[in-house]
Amino acid sequence: MKKLTLLLFVLLSLSSCAKKDSTKISYNNPLSIEFGDPYVLSASDGKYYMYGTGGGAKDGFCAYSSSNLIDWKAEGQVYFGNTPDSWAKANFWAPEVYEIDGRYYMLFSADWKENPNNELENFKIGVAASDSPVGPFKEISDKPLVLFDYPVIDGNLYRDNDGRTYLYFSRCCYKNPVESEVSKWAKEKGMFDEIEESWVYGVEIAPDFSKTIGEPVLLLRPPYEMDNNQTEWESRSVTSGEVNRRWTEGSFIFKNGDTFYMMYSANFFGGKNYAVGYATSKSPLGPFKKAENNPILQKNIEKGGIVTGTGHNSVVIKKDTKEMICVYHGRTSQTGDERVVFIDKMHIDKDGLLWVDGPTTDKTEL
């Protein structure tokens, strides 16, 4: 009888393992979602929700829902700007949605309708809220969240265990020419007279989004030196002659153990050289040190692949396996200029190095 009981236990264990393995789903990148700057919320209702730039939305943002990160249902447009009550006029992008105390808060970038100096890039970050992850999202203020004397985009939020809340954003390249060995090199080559740069800042804000606390802190910027080990990959848009700008944008921060990881994108979002790196810190406001294994996500056409323009990522924890999943946009030889969504597994090794297992286009299990 004991042998029979043991046999039944083994069979049930094997059956249980087989059932767990069978929940894995195969998929191929890219997913069937056509927009940029994808952000995925893992909501308390058991579903995932994805938001992004474009995707057919007019003056706002659409959303998708999923139970497995692979099969997505269109939920329609969930935020509408450019209304009489809205501060936001045009060029809506980079939405991120956070679930806080039973409500949903959307950070987004757009043109501010107040533009007395007729700035070409009058970009600001705002907040809209809803009782549902599929909206409708309504702005919580008639003005942007933060007002600096330069344009800002790509808001990202981190709320620490102590309740303190931090906003991360990118100061735009617009009217920010920076002298460096790279700009000197480009001028000597007769390529560009000046190089503009965008930088990532962080600032503490009130938990209710009502005000900033203290002054913004510069966290990340392109390297000054030509021989810096980050310079080559962060300067490809310039060194290839594509454009006279070096970007540091699309920041996404998370904490692993006692270390803060800040992922960021460099180069022109509309070009093939868009790529992702990361930096680490022991504090939410730095200082951050860029990783030696950057970039961790980039084009693969030089290796026989079909993917270019990989960037502006977010990270979501898979509900069942607790694996980290990197969500990002890219382009392929089939999709052309259209930005499409990719997902790939991501992990941190025993040495604290972060790796993304992509970009993949072959059949993959998740």
Side-chain angles (χ1 to χ4, degrees):
M1 188 67 179
K2 288 183 179 179
K3 289 184 178 180
L4 179 59
T5 302
L6 180 60
L7 179 60
L8 285 171
F9 175 78
V10 172
L11 289 173
L12 286 171
S13 298
L14 290 172
S15 175
S16 176
C17 291
K19 188 174 181 180
K20 287 180 182 178
D21 290 341
S22 67
T23 62
K24 288 186 175 294
I25 304 174
S26 295
Y27 75 100
N28 290 83
N29 276 321
L31 302 182
S32 59
I33 300 177
E34 296 181 350
F35 57 32
D37 315 327
Y39 180 89
V40 172
L41 166 70
S42 179
S44 61
D45 65 3
K47 292 183 178 180
Y48 305 99
Y49 295 89
M50 187 187 295
Y51 311 85
T53 302
K58 178 175 173 54
D59 294 336
F61 306 107
C62 293
Y64 291 79
S65 64
S66 175
S67 60
N68 59 15
L69 291 173
I70 295 172
D71 303 304
W72 293 89
K73 172 189 173 186
E75 297 287 355
Q77 189 158 340
V78 298
Y79 163 78
F80 292 84
N82 195 21
T83 66
D85 298 327
S86 174
W87 64 263
K89 180 181 179 181
N91 295 317
F92 297 82
W93 71 94
E96 297 193 355
V97 175
Y98 302 84
E99 185 176 355
I100 303 173
D101 299 329
R103 295 205 81 201
Y104 299 86
Y105 294 86
M106 174 184 284
L107 292 184
F108 67 94
S109 306
D111 275 303
W112 191 17
K113 63 184 178 184
E114 292 189 21
N115 191 6
N117 296 322
N118 293 316
E119 300 289 357
L120 293 178
E121 297 184 11
N122 194 38
F123 307 145
K124 305 296 178 185
I125 295 169
V127 182
S130 173
D131 292 325
S132 167
V134 293
F137 285 88
K138 301 294 183 182
E139 292 165 37
I140 65 172
S141 174
D142 61 357
K143 63 180 183 294
L145 172 59
V146 288
L147 295 174
F148 304 119
D149 59 357
Y150 48 80
V152 297
I153 60 172
D154 296 350
N156 180 237
L157 204 66
Y158 180 79
R159 180 164 290 194
D160 216 336
N161 293 331
D162 59 6
R164 296 176 72 177
T165 305
Y166 301 89
L167 172 71
Y168 303 91
F169 60 88
S170 179
R171 172 183 179 168
C172 295
C173 293
Y174 182 66
K175 293 185 176 179
N176 191 35
V178 178
E179 293 292 331
S180 68
E181 291 182 3
V182 177
S183 66
K184 182 180 178 181
W185 174 89
K187 192 168 185 177
E188 289 175 348
K189 292 286 186 179
M191 298 171 68
F192 305 109
D193 290 333
E194 64 180 19
I195 304 298
E196 296 176 311
E197 295 183 358
S198 67
W199 302 341
V200 169
Y201 288 80
V203 65
E204 185 176 354
I205 63 172
D208 63 357
F209 304 101
S210 61
K211 63 180 179 180
T212 57
I213 301 172
E215 294 298 316
V217 179
L218 175 59
L219 303 179
L220 294 175
R221 59 180 292 182
Y224 173 89
E225 309 87 358
M226 284 294 287
D227 63 355
N228 186 298
N229 62 354
Q230 308 289 338
T231 299
E232 188 278 324
W233 80 270
E234 290 193 25
S235 307
R236 291 171 183 168
S237 288
V238 170
T239 56
S240 67
E242 188 174 44
V243 68
N244 69 324
R245 286 182 165 184
R246 291 202 296 169
W247 282 268
T248 311
E249 63 176 21
S251 62
F252 182 91
I253 192 167
F254 67 94
K255 193 175 185 181
N256 184 70
D258 63 350
T259 302
F260 290 89
Y261 286 76
M262 178 175 285
M263 303 177 76
Y264 65 97
S265 296
N267 298 297
F268 176 42
F269 77 91
K272 65 181 181 180
N273 295 306
Y274 208 42
V276 175
Y278 73 99
T280 58
S281 174
K282 296 301 181 181
S283 165
L285 291 179
F288 280 86
K289 181 181 180 181
K290 293 181 180 180
E292 295 294 325
N293 62 318
N294 284 340
I296 56 169
L297 190 60
Q298 62 180 317
K299 61 186 177 179
N300 62 12
I301 52 175
E302 283 86 356
K303 298 180 180 179
I306 61 171
V307 183
T308 63
T310 56
H312 201 125
N313 75 289
S314 62
V315 177
V316 62
I317 305 298
K318 196 166 182 285
K319 293 178 183 292
D320 54 353
T321 63
K322 306 305 178 185
E323 293 173 295
M324 290 188 294
I325 306 298
C326 184
V327 186
Y328 58 99
H329 74 240
R331 296 175 174 84
T332 73
S333 53
Q334 284 79 35
T335 62
D337 292 334
E338 187 69 45
R339 290 182 292 178
V340 287
V341 177
F342 292 71
I343 59 172
D344 278 306
K345 291 181 182 180
M346 175 177 124
H347 61 275
I348 296 172
D349 68 20
K350 60 181 178 61
D351 297 317
L353 296 177
L354 187 156
W355 303 91
V356 177
D357 301 336
T360 64
T361 50
D362 295 330
K363 184 173 288 188
T364 306
E365 278 194 341
L366 192 67

